[in-house]
């Protein structure tokens, strides 16, 4: 009796340990924004949405951005049009991008059940869909803002100078993905594909301007608008350094998970053997 409880407990802990091991680079959750209005199950909209999400999941191994539409031709019933897109952080490999988008597609229905419109931002990718066409349209609505509770010590002079260097880089240039660092401060910025280059520039200069004023001497801050985002952090703020970009932390996490998984497996084996011995 006692032993089977121990066995069950070991099995459960093994499972709990192995779940994080499945986590891939760039898959940390940042935000989910769900439109409150719900579509009826098995509606034409749902079948269009399913087809858009399937196309998105398939396309993510080929490119870092794509948008899709379904149910928007004249033969489709009214109200069935669905539009969707994904954007991976441009420094992810195609395998990482694909894994991130698959993960987002798998989660969005759980986070925003039956929502007519939803955005799910993971560390490495954005998934967004709606019942109206939004791809390529400049929209600088703030969706998510976060300031670290940790603040720069002292008068922050050095910190502000470095941070403003980084924000200056992120707010200028033509690239859709921008990376910068100055001293201990690092950051990156990303536009959603489909925007014109001019709209990307406008979006990022607004994001950076808001970010500059949003968080005072916070050591790390994120600002996500509908079509672009900018983030910065101070090295050492995230344990394991470069993990705001989703690298180190995930690698360490995966290694630890594998080691603990092996240990749990050995423990399980020991319990099992002693159980068999008693039974014989
Ligand atoms: C459906 O929407 C997409 C995206 O806006 C557009 O490219 C396509 O032409 C539309 N299809 C029809 C039949 O209107």
């Amino acid at each position: 009796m006692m032993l089977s409880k121990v066995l069950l407990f070991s099995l459960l802990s093994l499972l709990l340990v192995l779940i994080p091991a499945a986590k891939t680079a760039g898959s940390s959750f940042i935000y989910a924004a769900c439109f409150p209005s719900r579509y009826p199950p098995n509606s034409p909209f749902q079948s269009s949405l399913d087809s858009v999400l399937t196309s998105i999941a398939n396309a993510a191994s080929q490119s870092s951005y794509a948008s899709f539409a379904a149910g928007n031709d004249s033969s489709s019933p009214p109200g069935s049009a669905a539009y969707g897109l994904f954007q991976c952080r441009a420094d992810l490999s195609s395998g990482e991008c694909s894994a991130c988008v698959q993960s987002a597609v798998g989660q969005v229905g759980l986070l925003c059940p039956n929502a007519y419109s939803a955005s799910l931002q993971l560390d490495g990718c954005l998934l967004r869909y709606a019942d109206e066409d939004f791809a390529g349209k400049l929209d600088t609505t703030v969706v998510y803002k976060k300031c670290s509770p940790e603040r720069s010590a002292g008068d922050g002079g050095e910190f502000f100078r470095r941070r403003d260097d980084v924000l200056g880089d992120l707010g200028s240039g033509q690239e859709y993905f921008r990376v910068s660092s100055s001293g201990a401060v690092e950051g990156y910025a990303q536009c959603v594909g489909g925007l014109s280059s001019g709209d990307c520039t406008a979006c990022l200069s607004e994001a950076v301007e808001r970010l500059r004023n949003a968080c005072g001497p916070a050591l790390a801050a994120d600002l996500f608008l509908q079509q672009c985002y900018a983030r910065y952090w101070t090295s050492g703020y995230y344990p394991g350094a470069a993990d705001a970009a989703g690298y180190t932390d995930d690698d360490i996490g995966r290694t630890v998970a594998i080691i603990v998984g092996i240990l749990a497996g050995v423990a399980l084996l020991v319990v099992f053997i002693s159980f068999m011995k008693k039974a014989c």
Side-chain angles (χ1 to χ4, degrees):
M1 200 60 209
M2 190 56 208
L3 252 176
S4 63
K5 266 189 195 148
V6 170
L7 209 64
L8 189 65
F9 179 72
S10 318
L11 265 175
L12 279 178
S13 12
L14 188 64
L15 267 181
L16 286 179
V17 162
L18 289 181
I19 288 166
K23 210 174 118 187
T24 45
S27 66
S28 320
F29 177 83
I30 296 184
Y31 70 78
C34 316
F35 193 65
S37 150
R38 307 270 176 113
Y39 60 81
N42 304 318
S43 58
F45 179 79
Q46 176 162 37
S47 73
S48 304
L49 178 59
D50 287 347
S51 126
V52 164
L53 292 178
T54 304
S55 307
I56 286 176
N58 291 335
S61 58
Q62 265 107 64
S63 61
S64 63
Y65 163 82
S67 70
F68 295 93
N72 66 332
D73 50 345
S74 48
S75 63
S76 299
S80 59
Y83 304 84
L85 61 74
F86 71 92
Q87 172 68 61
C88 284
R89 209 177 62 215
D91 61 336
L92 293 191
S93 69
S94 62
E96 288 167 332
C97 173
S98 176
C100 185
V101 171
Q102 310 274 351
S103 157
V105 166
Q107 288 175 67
V108 74
L110 303 170
L111 293 165
C112 299
N114 294 22
Y116 265 117
S117 150
S119 302
L120 171 56
Q121 178 76 57
L122 304 181
D123 190 35
C125 63
L126 166 74
L127 169 66
R128 186 176 168 202
Y129 73 80
D131 56 345
E132 55 186 23
D133 195 6
F134 58 87
K137 299 191 173 115
L138 180 59
D139 177 355
T140 55
T141 314
V142 177
V143 194
Y144 177 81
K145 183 189 100 172
K146 183 181 176 192
C147 308
S148 72
E150 291 78 7
R151 303 181 143 241
S152 162
D155 69 355
E158 163 81 1
F159 165 76
F160 282 122
R161 195 165 61 76
R162 300 299 192 173
R163 186 204 65 173
D164 289 347
D165 280 353
V166 167
L167 291 182
D169 283 350
L170 298 183
S172 62
Q174 302 294 312
E175 299 81 15
Y176 281 53
F177 178 61
R178 305 173 188 176
V179 183
S180 173
S181 70
S182 171
V185 180
E186 300 171 63
Y188 59 79
Q190 171 82 60
C191 279
V192 174
L195 281 185
S196 71
S197 152
D199 283 348
C200 172
T201 301
C203 191
L204 281 181
S205 48
E206 171 142 6
V208 160
E209 219 29 62
R210 285 175 181 268
L211 196 53
R212 197 191 309 277
N213 299 316
C215 297
L219 287 179
D222 304 329
L223 192 82
F224 288 77
L225 308 180
Q226 285 283 22
Q227 299 278 33
C228 69
Y229 64 77
R231 317 178 73 186
Y232 70 81
W233 66 97
T234 308
S235 39
Y237 169 67
Y238 290 103
D243 52 358
Y247 307 117
T248 324
D249 201 23
D250 280 347
D251 291 342
I252 293 171
R254 209 176 298 128
T255 312
V256 168
I258 289 168
I259 292 170
V260 177
I262 290 170
L263 288 180
V266 169
L268 201 63
L269 200 66
V270 168
V271 168
F272 183 66
I273 288 170
S274 62
F275 179 71
M276 290 309 280
K277 270 192 180 151
K278 283 222 174 98
C280 294

